[in-house]
């Protein structure tokens, strides 16, 4: 048998292929997509995808955007993923620690995992006071443009980093690869990542790794907002954050802790 033949899929399920193509396309989209846009995006005619869109909508995987004719993903796939034992265990182990951290630093925090070229928030704890940045569960951001994503990349093996870089460059060919790797190396040396938010002015994102065998499986992140009068500084928050990430790592029976920041 030739190499080409051996690389071909053994079985085909055209209807399933169409459904998965649509879901993956909508997952990458930043706004609802019309049937025409979906048709062009998956390279199939409107007739081919019409029934598939109906079924996906009836099953709750996609929905029409309010006031618009376009389709968007619902959170159904996300909720299914949350039921996976590793994710569920991570959230269960992290939430008590996250509540104690939020109480101590008077700031919100959230837990993030990688999802291909993006990051996704899987748990959050709001600030105990009346001021804080709320990041909803299920929120996605490009991995290369988030402090949590930088942190997750920083604490990977060289082989995984190379694979992730290739994926990120396919998604964003103009990415400044050298600068991204340099910042990741700095975060790894420091033990946590620290950067001004590129989404909200006045917010400093601090992110520490939850480790399994010396690589990050989650990022514990605090979107720090300085208050007046100041109650706690960023250095103290970073130290508490790293300690909390260590605690979650141990609670999950993972590998060595992340170390502390001061």
């Amino acid at each position: 048998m030739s190499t080409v033949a051996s690389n071909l899929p053994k079985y085909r399920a055209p209807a399933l292929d169409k459904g998965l193509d649509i879901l993956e396309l909508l997952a990458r989209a930043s706004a609802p997509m019309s049937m025409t846009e979906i048709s062009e995006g998956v390279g199939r005619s409107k007739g081919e995808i019409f029934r598939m869109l109906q079924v996906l909508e009836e099953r709750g995987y996609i929905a029409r955007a309010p006031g618009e004719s376009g389709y968007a993903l619902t959170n159904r796939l996300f909720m299914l993923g949350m039921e996976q034992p590793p994710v569920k265990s991570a959230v269960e182990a992290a939430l008590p620690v996250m509540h104690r951290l939020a109480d101590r630093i008077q700031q919100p925090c959230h837990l993030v995992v990688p999802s291909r070229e993006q990051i996704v928030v899987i748990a959050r704890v709001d600030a105990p006071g009346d001021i804080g940045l709320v990041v909803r569960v299920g929120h996605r951001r490009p991995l290369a443009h988030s402090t949590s994503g930088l942190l997750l990349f920083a604490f990977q093996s060289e082989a995984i980093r190379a694979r992730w870089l290739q994926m990120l460059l396919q998604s964003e060919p103009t990415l400044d690869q050298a600068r991204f790797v340099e910042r990741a190396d700095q975060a790894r040396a420091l033990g946590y990542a620290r950067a001004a938010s590129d989404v909200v002015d006045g917010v400093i994102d601090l992110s520490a790794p939850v480790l399994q065998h010396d690589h990050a499986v989650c990022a514990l992140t605090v979107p720090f907002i300085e208050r007046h009068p100041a109650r706690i500084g960023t250095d103290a928050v970073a130290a508490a954050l790293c300690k909390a990430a260590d605690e979650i790592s141990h609670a999950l029976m993972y590998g060595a802790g992340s170390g502390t920041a001061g």
Side-chain angles (χ1 to χ4, degrees):
M1 182 180 295
S2 68
T3 303
V4 173
S6 64
N7 288 335
L8 292 175
K10 188 173 182 180
Y11 301 107
R12 302 297 302 181
L16 180 58
D17 279 340
K18 281 188 284 188
L20 293 174
D21 286 344
I22 291 169
L23 292 175
E24 290 175 356
L25 176 68
L26 291 177
R28 295 191 297 268
S30 58
M33 300 182 69
S34 67
M35 184 185 297
T36 299
E37 291 171 327
I38 294 172
S39 172
E40 293 173 352
V42 299
R44 298 176 185 271
S45 69
K46 291 183 182 179
E48 287 183 279
I49 66 170
F50 176 73
R51 288 187 180 179
M52 185 59 63
L53 290 172
Q54 284 189 317
V55 172
L56 290 172
E57 187 175 13
E58 289 171 1
R59 295 291 296 269
Y61 288 97
I62 65 174
R64 294 176 190 269
E68 300 184 44
S69 60
Y71 293 91
L73 284 185
T74 67
N75 68 348
R76 182 169 174 77
L77 282 172
F78 175 74
M79 296 308 296
L80 287 175
M82 288 289 289
E83 290 301 313
Q84 288 294 301
V87 176
K88 199 169 186 179
S89 296
V91 172
E92 290 172 347
L95 279 175
V97 180
M98 292 169 67
H99 278 287
R100 291 194 294 272
L101 174 65
D103 286 341
R104 179 179 176 187
I105 65 177
Q106 297 292 294
Q107 299 277 345
C109 58
H110 53 269
L111 194 67
V112 170
V113 294
S115 177
R116 292 188 56 79
E117 72 276 7
Q118 298 181 324
I119 55 96
V120 58
V121 176
I122 62 171
R124 88 170 196 227
V125 171
D126 296 340
D130 55 356
I131 298 176
L133 178 65
V134 174
V135 181
R136 65 176 176 81
V137 172
H139 172 70
R140 288 177 174 269
R141 288 272 301 154
L143 188 148
H145 296 282
S146 67
T147 306
S148 300
L150 179 77
L151 186 282
L152 287 166
F153 177 86
F155 284 84
Q156 303 299 329
S157 68
E158 289 302 320
I160 292 177
R161 282 167 57 132
R163 188 165 70 245
W164 283 20
L165 266 180
Q166 184 179 18
M167 178 179 63
L168 294 175
L169 288 169
Q170 287 176 346
S171 175
E172 184 184 350
T174 59
L175 176 68
D176 188 340
Q177 176 180 342
R179 176 58 180 156
F180 180 71
V181 172
E182 179 186 11
R183 292 176 60 219
D185 289 342
Q186 290 171 350
R188 180 150 189 155
L190 186 61
Y192 69 96
R194 172 178 180 154
S197 171
D198 59 358
V199 178
V200 181
D201 289 340
V203 172
I204 298 175
D205 289 329
L206 302 166
S207 189
V210 175
L211 297 171
Q212 181 181 33
H213 306 305
D214 296 326
H215 76 272
V217 292
C218 306
L220 181 60
T221 300
V222 171
F224 178 87
I225 298 177
E226 187 171 353
R227 303 184 184 186
H228 300 286
R231 301 182 183 180
I232 184 171
T234 53
D235 289 344
V237 170
L241 173 67
C242 289
K243 184 176 180 181
D246 272 358
E247 191 175 344
I248 297 171
S249 298
H250 285 94
L252 290 170
M253 299 179 67
Y254 283 173
S258 65
T260 59

